[in-house]
Amino acid sequence: HYTARLLSENLFILQAALLFWMLLAGFVDQRRWCRVGVFWLLGIMYLTRPNALPFIVLFIPWLVFMQYRARKQPWGEVLLGMALLIITVNFIALRNYMVADQWLIISPIPWRRAADGHFPYPTYPLDHPLTFLKDIGLRALYAFGFMPLMMKEFQYRPHWWLMWAGFFATIGCRLYFRRWFSFMEQALFGYVLIMLVPIVVISFIA
């Protein structure tokens, strides 16, 4: 039990912190090895938590665009980084090949294992829209710190309320005053939104 958690959720938190440090060092301090290493780190994050795949897929085009903005001819760094990423994620394919004799980077899993019980099949939101919206609303409130609304045994998290208030206030102020988000703000907000939305909508949030 603890081995899986230490090598999964907790390790992923450390990798996420390292990701933002490498972004800062690579694009603000202009360290080339960090700009390349970010791609490799994304592959490591996928090995640690495969449910980070939506974030990685959407993050890579943004990262390539930022590479282009940082240097007008970044393709050498991009190709090297993508090569490291592809090599790294193929370790999962190697594991699958050794276990199931199939070279698969994305392991196929049944829908009921990938989604929580509130989302039993892909067209469920269309068949039961009100029930689905109610469930999504409760799960979103859970993620914002109103845990007892879903699970009575948990407590409210006021410090989460402050955190989310600051998060959305920052976005609102940027939009209101028409000031574009800085490089690190784009990375941070994108990470939070892309990682959180699939968890609230599909995955088991507890």
Side-chain angles (χ1 to χ4, degrees):
H1 174 77
Y2 289 106
T3 300
R5 292 190 176 277
L6 287 173
L7 298 179
S8 183
E9 288 95 340
N10 294 336
L11 181 58
F12 188 84
I13 291 173
L14 295 177
Q15 291 170 352
L18 181 59
L19 172 69
F20 289 107
W21 179 86
M22 293 184 72
L23 288 172
L24 185 65
F27 291 91
V28 178
D29 297 338
Q30 298 299 317
R31 298 180 185 179
R32 181 182 181 185
W33 69 270
C34 286
R35 291 196 298 269
V36 175
V38 165
F39 289 91
W40 169 78
L41 183 58
L42 290 174
I44 295 295
M45 294 172 73
Y46 177 68
L47 296 182
T48 305
R49 294 289 289 169
N51 62 359
L53 183 63
F55 167 73
I56 294 171
V57 170
L58 295 174
F59 192 74
I60 287 175
W62 176 83
L63 189 60
V64 172
F65 176 72
M66 288 300 168
Q67 288 268 15
Y68 179 78
R69 287 188 60 184
R71 298 176 67 252
K72 293 305 180 183
Q73 294 182 342
W75 308 120
E77 293 180 5
V78 171
L79 291 176
L80 178 59
M82 288 298 297
L84 291 173
L85 172 65
I86 292 171
I87 292 171
T88 303
V89 299
N90 267 279
F91 279 102
I92 278 190
L94 178 60
R95 188 278 309 271
N96 291 336
Y97 180 77
M98 294 175 65
V99 173
D101 200 28
Q102 289 182 297
W103 195 272
L104 298 171
I105 294 178
I106 302 176
S107 302
I109 56 178
W111 178 266
R112 288 184 176 273
R113 285 188 57 195
D116 190 11
H118 80 289
F119 200 168
Y121 52 90
T123 60
Y124 180 81
L126 299 178
D127 297 338
H128 307 277
L130 295 180
T131 302
F132 179 75
L133 290 176
K134 177 184 176 182
D135 290 341
I136 291 297
L138 289 175
R139 291 164 68 84
L141 290 172
Y142 181 104
F144 291 144
F146 297 87
M147 292 183 169
L149 297 180
M150 275 190 66
M151 298 185 176
K152 301 296 184 182
E153 63 272 22
F154 289 171
Q155 297 180 346
Y156 289 102
R157 300 289 194 272
H159 55 294
W160 288 19
W161 306 344
L162 295 175
M163 176 189 69
W164 285 115
F167 178 82
F168 288 111
T170 301
I171 295 178
C173 288
R174 286 289 189 179
L175 295 176
Y176 180 79
F177 293 107
R178 298 181 181 179
R179 295 180 180 177
W180 187 240
F181 300 99
S182 68
F183 169 77
M184 291 304 296
E185 286 175 338
Q186 292 179 46
L188 177 61
F189 294 155
Y191 172 82
V192 172
L193 294 174
I194 296 171
M195 287 295 292
L196 181 65
V197 170
I199 291 176
V200 172
V201 174
I202 295 178
S203 299
F204 184 54
I205 199 167

